[in-house]
Amino acid sequence: MNYQDVKKIFAPIFKSHGYTQLSNKRLYIKDKGFGFVVFEIAPARGFGFQLHGGVCFFWDNSKGFVSFKYRKGSGSVHGRPSGQTDLMVFDFPSFEKDLEYMISDLEKHFEFYEPLTLCGIEQDLARRYESTGGYVFSQGDLGIVKLLLGKKEEGFAAMNRVSMMGDTLKDIFDHAENYDVFCDYMVNHINELREKMSAVLKLKKRFPPLTLEQLMELKTEPYVPEETK
């Protein structure tokens, strides 16, 4: 077993769940409207690999980087029931069994990301905050989610906890006083970055632009591209 074999094993699994394989054959993505889920099969110096994933939000991605801003747990898909490591080593005697467990664990990640909504993300971050007594995941992203949900005071409070606010977050924050203005700004901002990331990822089929109505639906409904409705 080697890295190329592993990529061939995972390809049909991701395809069956509606993920698009990028040209490097190690990244898989799925459009969620406000961002995209991305999984990476990352090689480990020739002796193994790791599999991890998360959501890359469009709204704070002006530099075009693929980032894992929101994810299930650590974002790692584990190959062992203990969850102590996500590093898979080809020469390990338990590799085949560990791979079976990793594929099973991956299904749990699919189940987590598939129904994503803005309300769901807000509630999940709130639970994490309460369980740790002060969990700081990404106050900027949480603030944006709350503002899109019409929770102005909570959104402002979260944004004000951002220690170092970049230009993109500052621009978003500056438009947040009036809800209608903010939503119009955000749909245009997200569409600009959907187009930019289409180019960065070299997509043959680009992320289609969102309408304001679609953005509002994302509060409580998962994103469904027009052609699949």
Side-chain angles (χ1 to χ4, degrees), residues 36-148:
F36 57 94
V37 182
V38 55
F39 282 95
E40 180 180 22
I41 307 170
R45 299 184 180 275
F47 62 79
F49 76 98
Q50 293 171 295
L51 177 59
H52 45 85
V55 177
C56 179
F57 292 122
F58 286 117
W59 53 62
D60 190 21
N61 199 33
S62 58
K63 294 183 179 180
F65 296 138
V66 175
S67 58
F68 299 83
K69 296 296 292 292
Y70 174 77
R71 51 196 176 266
K72 174 178 168 59
S74 66
S76 298
V77 183
H78 294 292
R80 298 180 186 176
S82 65
Q84 292 178 348
T85 179
D86 60 320
L87 176 60
M88 299 284 287
V89 179
F90 300 127
D91 291 340
F92 274 11
S94 62
F95 179 81
E96 296 293 340
K97 185 175 181 180
D98 292 344
L99 184 61
E100 289 181 7
Y101 184 83
M102 175 174 274
I103 292 172
S104 175
D105 190 38
L106 179 58
E107 291 294 331
K108 298 176 184 177
H109 286 251
F110 289 148
E111 291 173 3
F112 176 80
Y113 293 119
E114 191 58 33
L116 275 188
T117 64
L118 294 174
C119 282
I121 291 174
E122 182 205 25
Q123 293 167 8
D124 183 43
L125 290 179
R127 284 194 297 270
R128 298 187 197 189
Y129 188 90
E130 292 171 359
S131 65
T132 59
Y135 178 79
V136 179
F137 183 80
S138 175
Q139 294 298 329
D141 293 323
L142 178 58
I144 291 170
V145 170
K146 285 185 175 293
L147 290 170
L148 284 170

